Amino acid sequence: MKNFTSVKDVKDPGGLVKKALEIKANPFTPDFARGKRAGLIFLNPSLRTRLSSQVAVQNLGAEAIVLDIGKDGWALEFQDGVKMNGSKAEHIKEAAGVIGQYFDVLGVRTFPELKDRNTDYSEQLLNAFIKYSGLPVVSLESATRHPLQSLADWMTIEEHWKKAEKPKVVITWAPHVKALPQAVPNSFVEWMREAPVDLTITHPEGYELAEEFAGGVPVEYNQMKALEGADFVYVKNWSSYEQYGQILSQDESWSFGKEQLAVTNNAKIMHCLPVRRNLVIKDEILDGPNAIHLQQAKNRVYSAQAVFAELFR
């Protein structure tokens, strides 16, 4: 890999999942990347991604240094050719160029503004760090994808599925109080298309994902029908792609509870976190034996460690 921004950067996604599981069994290799440094650049808030990435880098023997651009750095300008007479003090060309001289690998986290679809889906911010840093870059979530989360998700499914046949995996929309990006569902669908699973997407009409991610994947607008016989259910909210960034429904009948679980094959229930209890998923599920969201979160360390191990070489 030269960078890790999507499943397309990985020659053998299944092999990377296997490597991550091997790392989980023996995570401490302090001599592997001793003397190397990873710069973890955050333009947005984070809990799991920040901590899991730091732990992953340290498990490899390298040093992780976190920079919160919003608090610790200058406001950055990303547009070319502008006269910088406003509030932005430093251009990405200089900022990323300097950062690139301090580290061996960069991790970058940025969210979409959910205002202009073309701008968000061009991945302007992530691509600028790749272009001007000159370093291998790991996406710690971007406007359109969250690949480290998706790698951990595949790991988690692999750990729980020991049968010869493919599991039925369903990703279901759920209500939320605010507009959220499509990054997690985009990425999950993209990775599951490479995995040995039967995937179905379910959501209310108007929440279709971009064709580049979901094209050809079965979509069912009746949630209960989609969930029938499911072995794994990924519950996640996202805003509309077509009516970009808009909330088209807050139908709480889509909240995942015992009624939904009852039509599945005693499915394992997944979520990337943070999760709004009793809105997205009900307490009866999150506190019950079917929920594996905390295991997903734990696997974030080993998914990141597998990726950083590849890029530190």
Side-chain angles (χ1 to χ4, degrees):
M1 289 188 292
K2 294 182 178 179
N3 298 292
F4 183 78
T5 64
S6 80
V7 73
K8 297 175 185 177
D9 290 324
V10 184
K11 188 174 295 186
D12 179 10
L16 187 61
V17 171
K18 182 179 178 181
K19 178 175 180 177
L21 290 168
E22 290 171 351
I23 286 172
K24 184 175 182 178
N26 184 26
F28 301 109
T29 51
D31 294 322
F32 181 87
R34 189 179 301 278
K36 295 192 176 184
R37 296 190 184 95
L40 306 178
I41 313 299
F42 288 84
L43 285 82
N44 305 96
S46 174
L47 188 154
R48 277 150 295 278
T49 300
R50 182 186 296 252
L51 295 178
S52 62
S53 298
Q54 286 182 270
V55 172
V57 170
Q58 291 168 2
N59 282 353
L60 294 169
E63 183 179 6
I65 297 177
V66 175
L67 176 66
D68 186 331
I69 291 288
K71 296 178 181 178
D72 305 326
W74 301 107
L76 296 179
E77 176 61 66
F78 287 87
Q79 297 293 332
D80 283 337
V82 298
K83 184 176 182 178
M84 292 178 58
N85 58 357
S87 61
K88 296 177 180 178
E90 186 162 20
H91 200 281
I92 186 61
K93 291 182 179 180
E94 282 74 44
V98 169
I99 290 170
Q101 298 180 67
Y102 297 160
F103 299 101
D104 300 284
V105 176
L106 283 187
V108 178
R109 180 181 176 95
T110 179
F111 288 171
E113 292 187 349
L114 292 179
K115 296 176 181 178
D116 185 299
R117 188 173 72 188
N118 291 335
T119 297
D120 287 344
Y121 273 67
S122 72
E123 294 286 13
Q124 180 189 49
L125 275 61
L126 178 64
N127 288 329
F129 277 98
I130 293 172
K131 181 176 181 180
Y132 297 119
S133 73
L135 293 179
V137 171
V138 177
S139 170
L140 304 178
E141 189 171 1
S142 70
T144 65
R145 295 174 171 92
H146 198 346
L148 286 177
Q149 177 67 58
S150 301
L151 175 55
D153 297 337
W154 186 342
M155 283 179 65
T156 308
I157 291 172
E158 191 82 9
E159 286 179 310
H160 282 274
W161 190 253
K162 304 301 180 185
K163 300 178 183 179
E165 64 269 22
K166 293 180 179 180
K168 179 179 179 179
V169 176
V170 177
I171 179 167
T172 178
W173 179 93
H176 204 281
V177 296
K178 59 186 289 188
L180 296 183
Q182 301 96 35
V184 169
N186 281 349
S187 194
F188 182 73
V189 169
E190 191 173 53
W191 282 75
M192 287 298 98
R193 294 178 74 159
E194 300 291 330
V197 305
D198 287 325
L199 178 65
T200 297
I201 306 170
T202 185
H203 53 70
E205 292 190 33
Y207 282 98
E208 292 80 7
L209 298 172
E211 183 74 12
E212 65 181 288
F213 295 102
V217 178
V219 175
E220 173 55 63
Y221 297 112
N222 183 319
Q223 185 194 40
M224 299 301 281
K225 183 178 179 181
L227 293 172
E228 289 177 0
D231 300 297
F232 295 88
V233 179
Y234 204 117
V235 187
K236 183 69 179 79
N237 174 267
W238 62 90
S239 59
S240 175
Y241 172 79
E242 189 62 35
Q243 298 182 50
Y244 191 64
Q246 298 301 305
I247 296 175
L248 306 181
S249 171
Q250 290 180 315
D251 183 355
E252 293 194 12
S253 71
W254 284 73
S255 298
F256 198 94
K258 286 184 177 178
E259 183 180 0
Q260 282 81 4
L261 181 63
V263 302
T264 72
N265 185 28
N266 197 33
K268 298 298 184 183
I269 309 306
M270 306 174 72
H271 192 282
C272 60
L273 300 178
V275 60
R276 293 193 180 233
R277 282 174 171 256
N278 300 308
L279 178 63
V280 177
I281 306 178
K282 296 177 181 178
D283 282 345
E284 61 202 35
I285 300 298
L286 289 170
D287 296 330
N290 294 75
I292 56 173
H293 56 300
L294 295 182
Q295 185 176 342
Q296 284 175 267
K298 181 176 182 178
N299 283 340
R300 290 293 307 280
V301 172
Y302 312 112
S303 66
Q305 196 166 334
V307 170
F308 277 103
E310 287 291 318
L311 295 179
F312 273 136
R313 293 185 187 277

